[in-house]
Amino acid sequence: MKTSPPTAAELAILRILWRDGPATVKQVHEAVYAGTDTGYTSALKILQNMLAKGLVSRATDARQHVYKAAVSERPTLNRLVRGWMDSAFSGSSLALAMQALDARPIDQQELAELKAVIKRLEAGSD
């Protein structure tokens, strides 16, 4: 990815676009900022900044602009995680994972999924 990494606000918008597909500013505003003091124009400005950064693309549909994620979810999230690993955990995947598990409790379903991932990793490393 050649763009700069998304900010927290940009990531919230990208999550909506990845999940729901292309959306207007109004749709993004309602999905991300419903029930908050953040206005429509703030959502518009963030989307304009994201367009300039190459995080989204824009098409004109009748009289409104429709925004679409221009970056894929997995590579974008991997890039963010690698940045955190490098800056906060000296590049250690284990340290990052242990901190994540310490920071927020994991439920039984997530624990089962984590165990399945570990088994897949162990099977692939033999």
Side-chain angles (χ1 to χ4, degrees):
M1 176 174 28
K2 296 177 185 176
T3 63
S4 58
T7 64
E10 293 167 345
L11 188 56
I13 291 173
L14 281 171
R15 288 192 165 286
I16 296 302
L17 297 176
W18 288 328
R19 184 190 72 199
D20 299 340
T24 64
V25 178
K26 180 180 182 199
Q27 291 167 324
V28 167
H29 179 261
E30 289 172 354
V32 178
Y33 300 109
T36 71
D37 292 335
T38 302
Y40 174 92
T41 55
S42 295
L44 173 61
K45 184 62 178 171
I46 294 169
L47 281 162
Q48 289 170 336
N49 291 341
M50 292 173 72
L51 180 66
K53 289 171 74 172
L55 295 171
V56 297
S57 61
R58 180 178 67 194
T60 303
D61 181 23
R63 291 178 33 149
Q64 52 190 340
H65 295 279
V66 177
Y67 291 86
K68 174 183 171 186
V71 293
S72 298
E73 182 176 16
R74 187 172 182 165
T76 300
L77 295 178
N78 282 348
R79 182 176 181 208
L80 287 171
V81 170
R82 277 193 308 274
W84 297 329
M85 280 179 16
D86 292 344
S87 64
F89 301 100
S90 301
S92 172
S93 297
L94 175 62
L96 173 68
M98 296 301 289
Q99 185 65 45
L101 292 170
D102 186 53
R104 184 167 292 152
I106 187 169
D107 65 31
Q108 290 301 310
Q109 179 180 346
E110 289 175 324
L111 183 58
E113 291 175 26
L114 181 57
K115 288 177 181 179
V117 168
I118 291 170
K119 281 187 178 188
R120 280 197 313 271
L121 290 172
E122 288 174 338
S125 65
D126 290 340

